[in-house]
Amino acid sequence: MTYEIYCYKSNLFAPDLNEAQNATLMKDAESNGNANSKKIQIIMALRKFNPKLDSYLMPGYNNLKTIKNIKESHIVLISPKGDFATQITILNNWVLFSIPYWYSDTTASEVFRQTDQYLNIIRQTVYYYVYDPQAQKAYDPWNENFDALTLYIKTSKIIEQDKSEKAKHRVRWNNKN
């Protein structure tokens, strides 16, 4: 399970919850020169900020040296081992951040601080707004801070508690005493 955050292209030129929900539910628009250009801008800006981000490019691309010719529907940027395990999926009209529920307190705070920086970079680069489906909120990261940490930690604890309960149940089930 992951905490998901979207950056989306707004046709209203302002954050709007209904537009954000619809934008992220719809099939990504067909690729065109403008969409490819935005994908390239996002990748370059994020990699300039964090050069350790690596790419999982769709078939036919082994690395970002071929970035000028991206025609794939999406590109995934991942952090190297030892870094925060944030996955960034870049599509034609939106970007998806997937953050696993592995982190607690201080580490989670660092992950979300870095994510906030990424969100602002995308806002500055292609003017996308942010949609947090868990909090049911669309917003402009230039005007509001990314405040999902409390919800993330709460959900993370529930998941951990659920795992513990399931593990106890398995032990009792397998116990032949």
Side-chain angles (χ1 to χ4, degrees):
M1 289 187 69
T2 61
Y3 194 98
E4 295 184 343
I5 301 144
Y6 293 86
C7 294
Y8 71 99
K9 177 184 173 186
S10 173
N11 294 320
L12 302 173
F13 304 104
D16 180 83
L17 183 58
N18 287 330
E19 180 187 40
Q21 291 170 330
N22 289 332
T24 57
L25 291 176
M26 291 176 21
K27 184 180 177 206
D28 203 35
E30 291 299 312
S31 180
N32 60 43
N34 189 38
N36 284 331
S37 172
K38 286 190 179 206
K39 282 192 286 195
I40 292 167
Q41 290 172 20
I42 292 168
I43 293 166
M44 299 302 281
L46 292 174
R47 292 201 69 221
K48 182 177 181 184
F49 174 75
N50 183 357
K52 292 190 275 181
L53 284 174
D54 198 7
S55 61
Y56 169 78
L57 298 174
M58 300 312 293
Y61 296 96
N62 296 324
N63 59 46
L64 289 176
K65 290 178 185 165
T66 55
I67 197 165
K68 300 292 183 210
N69 298 317
I70 290 175
K71 292 184 178 114
E72 307 305 328
S73 62
H74 71 278
I75 296 137
V76 177
L77 295 179
I78 54 175
S79 304
K81 284 188 178 186
D83 244 7
F84 301 131
T86 303
Q87 178 176 304
I88 306 166
T89 305
I90 304 164
L91 291 99
N92 293 330
N93 295 308
W94 45 278
V95 178
L96 168 62
F97 288 83
S98 301
I99 304 166
Y101 283 107
W102 299 341
Y103 305 108
S104 60
D105 301 328
T106 306
T107 307
S109 179
E110 292 173 26
V111 170
F112 278 78
R113 191 174 312 113
Q114 182 182 61
T115 302
D116 186 44
Q117 292 172 314
Y118 289 150
L119 297 175
N120 278 289
I121 289 167
I122 291 172
R123 175 71 171 113
Q124 180 178 357
T125 305
V126 292
Y127 307 105
Y128 285 5
Y129 294 105
V130 176
Y131 168 52
D132 181 339
Q134 290 83 193
Q136 288 296 298
K137 182 178 180 179
Y139 66 95
D140 182 344
W142 285 353
N143 297 328
E144 288 185 57
N145 288 330
F146 176 57
D147 189 24
L149 182 60
T150 304
L151 182 57
Y152 174 89
I153 290 174
K154 180 181 174 185
T155 306
S156 186
K157 287 179 181 177
I158 291 169
I159 290 170
E160 195 58 42
Q161 198 171 32
D162 188 46
K163 284 182 190 175
S164 295
E165 290 299 318
K166 285 181 181 177
K168 286 179 192 175
H169 180 71
R170 274 191 297 246
V171 169
R172 283 193 301 249
W173 182 261
N174 293 327
N175 191 351
K176 296 185 180 190
N177 291 335

